[in-house]
Amino acid sequence: MAEAKCLALLADTNKPYNVQGVADMLASQGFKKAQVEKALMALAEAGKISCKEFGKQKLFIPSQEGLPELDAAEKDAKLSRISQLQQSRKEFEAEISAQRKELAQLNSVLTVEELQAQIATRLQQVQEAETKLAAHRGGGIVAVSAEDVAAAEQRFATGLTAWERYRRMFRDIWDTVSENLEANQADVFEDMGVETDEAIGETLAAYQHLLPGRKKAKAC
């Protein structure tokens, strides 16, 4: 029964089908895909239809025996029609591609609500900038003079020099008294209450770089 239905479908339509295509066409008549596949393979083995494999896909082709052959004019007309349809398909595909691009561009355009939100944000930023500018023009912001900068740098340099000197002094003393010390240095410092640069996460070099033109004290 399944073989007869499959053979009739292929003969009536005179088109190649895969298993799923035939199963879809015969599903309304109660045939399952497994039945259809078994019937198509049996028809192919019996030579009633042809089976061509394209990778994992099998295509079942109805027999062309007994069908009238087209004369030259009919064949040329059908080939011309096929060429026209192929050209139309290319034009439709190009039109669809253009419409998809246009749709993507439209989707990327901000909505009215999004534009209004951006405008509000920009206006707020402008207002904040104008407020800062007005404060600066009105004397709300005090400019630092070159003399103030020089004085601050001098105080910083003095403190940095003291740091270098005291660090070197401590290191000289510590190297002497700890020469034969077997205990862990960090543990000893903790017991003695000694605060090191490393313990507070600071390094002398990081601050020395802030005054690159300064003559450094002798490194310890």
Side-chain angles (χ1 to χ4, degrees):
M1 182 66 176
E3 291 182 19
K5 288 291 184 179
C6 291
L7 184 60
L9 174 64
L10 292 176
D12 291 342
T13 59
N14 195 27
K15 291 170 55 178
Y17 285 96
N18 59 14
V19 174
Q20 188 62 56
V22 177
D24 291 342
M25 297 286 287
L26 299 180
S28 61
Q29 300 180 38
F31 292 99
K32 305 295 183 182
K33 183 178 178 180
Q35 292 177 282
V36 170
E37 184 173 10
K38 183 178 180 181
L40 289 171
M41 292 302 299
L43 290 170
E45 291 174 0
K48 296 180 180 180
I49 61 175
S50 300
C51 177
K52 300 292 184 181
E53 293 189 14
F54 301 91
K56 296 182 179 180
Q57 185 75 271
K58 291 181 180 179
L59 204 61
F60 296 92
I61 305 169
S63 175
Q64 302 299 302
E65 293 182 6
L67 296 178
E69 293 187 6
L70 298 176
D71 58 31
E74 290 176 326
K75 185 180 295 184
D76 290 342
K78 288 188 177 294
L79 290 175
S80 176
R81 178 58 177 164
I82 290 173
S83 179
Q84 292 175 0
L85 292 174
Q86 289 176 337
Q87 182 61 32
S88 297
R89 186 195 66 183
K90 290 181 180 179
E91 293 174 356
F92 282 133
E93 288 176 348
E95 183 178 353
I96 291 172
S97 178
Q99 290 179 352
R100 284 177 176 170
K101 290 181 180 179
E102 183 178 355
L103 179 61
Q105 292 175 350
L106 290 174
N107 289 334
S108 65
V109 175
L110 297 178
T111 63
V112 174
E113 292 77 9
E114 291 172 335
L115 287 172
Q116 290 175 340
Q118 283 200 3
I119 291 172
T121 300
R122 297 295 182 268
L123 288 175
Q124 183 178 357
Q125 292 173 346
V126 170
Q127 185 176 2
E128 292 174 355
E130 288 178 344
T131 301
K132 292 180 180 179
L133 181 59
H136 180 70
R137 288 174 175 172
I141 298 177
V142 179
V144 180
S145 65
E147 291 77 9
D148 292 338
V149 173
E153 289 181 347
Q154 181 58 44
R155 290 194 298 272
F156 180 74
T158 301
L160 198 58
T161 300
W163 184 356
E164 293 168 341
R165 183 172 65 255
Y166 292 135
R167 188 174 188 276
R168 184 173 62 255
M169 290 170 58
F170 174 79
R171 179 55 60 185
D172 291 342
I173 296 172
W174 176 253
D175 288 345
T176 301
V177 301
S178 64
E179 184 175 355
N180 298 318
L181 186 66
E182 296 181 357
N184 182 273
Q185 177 177 285
D187 294 338
V188 175
F189 282 173
E190 184 176 357
D191 292 339
M192 295 172 58
V194 176
E195 293 185 353
T196 63
D197 299 344
E198 294 77 9
I200 61 174
E202 298 290 354
T203 62
L204 181 60
Y207 289 89
Q208 288 172 333
H209 288 315
L210 296 177
L211 292 176
R214 167 181 165 272
K215 185 178 180 181
K216 299 179 183 178
K218 184 179 179 181
C220 55

